[in-house]
Amino acid sequence: MKKIIKQYILPVVLSMVFVSIGFFWLHGVPLIGQPKKEDVSYIEIADTNLTDDIRAFTEYEDIEKAVNMLNFLNYQLGTPEQEAPFITITYHLKNGEKVDISANKDTVYWGGKGYTIKDDNGTIFVNIIEGMFFSDLLVD
């Protein structure tokens, strides 16, 4: 039995640990508890950088895009800069709950906490949200 553990199980477990550490080091830690697109009835998006208006979207394609955009918000461990967020997305779920996420180019606020966004993913997130949902306000 010890031979089987040493020969087969231990190398597999060690490999899984090293691959997991490498993934989180390269890509960052994903946000946990993201809403599923099937559970969202509509979304509200505010961009204080461009306007004070809050825009609501009910089309499935817009909801799907907004849920998929959360994949850019992987974070790294450490203390974030406490800057005000200017993109806020509120997901209104079909069961009546609301899920809020706010971000700027460096920090994401999720579940009442701030996290430092990995690499330049925050800039990409902000630019894509503004381009998809606020394109009429962008200057050429």
Side-chain angles (χ1 to χ4, degrees), residues 7 15 23 39 41 44 50 56 60 63-64 68 70 72 83 89 93 99 104-105 112 117 119 122-123:
Q7 190 173 5
S15 297
F23 176 83
D39 297 337
S41 61
E44 293 178 337
L50 297 175
Y60 183 77
I63 293 170
E64 183 177 26
N68 289 340
L70 294 178
F72 279 103
E83 298 176 11
I89 303 176
L93 305 180
V99 177
N104 57 35
K105 295 183 181 199
I117 299 174
D119 299 329
T123 304

Side-chain angles (χ1 to χ4, degrees), residues 22-79:
F23 176 83
F24 291 131
W25 180 66
L26 290 174
H27 298 287
V29 180
L31 295 174
I32 297 175
Q34 299 176 12
K36 295 179 182 175
K37 54 190 163 204
E38 303 87 32
D39 297 337
V40 178
S41 61
Y42 70 99
I43 57 171
E44 293 178 337
I45 302 177
D47 186 348
T48 58
N49 213 21
L50 297 175
T51 182
D52 291 332
D53 295 335
I54 297 174
R55 296 185 177 189
F57 299 93
T58 58
E59 295 293 324
Y60 183 77
E61 294 82 20
D62 294 330
I63 293 170
E64 183 177 26
K65 290 175 190 176
V67 170
N68 289 340
M69 288 305 301
L70 294 178
N71 294 326
F72 279 103
L73 297 177
N74 291 347
Y75 64 91
Q76 59 192 14
L77 301 177
T79 306

Side-chain angles (χ1 to χ4, degrees), residues 31-35 42-46 54 70 73 85 87-93 97-103 108-113 115 125:
L31 295 174
I32 297 175
Q34 299 176 12
Y42 70 99
I43 57 171
E44 293 178 337
I45 302 177
I54 297 174
L70 294 178
L73 297 177
I87 299 281
T88 302
I89 303 176
T90 304
Y91 299 90
H92 294 271
L93 305 180
E97 294 180 25
K98 291 189 327 184
V99 177
D100 291 321
I101 185 164
S102 302
V108 59
Y109 298 93
W110 175 259
K113 296 181 182 178
Y115 303 98
F125 173 79

Side-chain angles (χ1 to χ4, degrees), residues 10-24:
L10 187 62
V12 169
V13 170
L14 288 175
S15 297
M16 289 179 1
V17 168
F18 288 133
V19 167
S20 298
I21 290 171
F23 176 83
F24 291 131

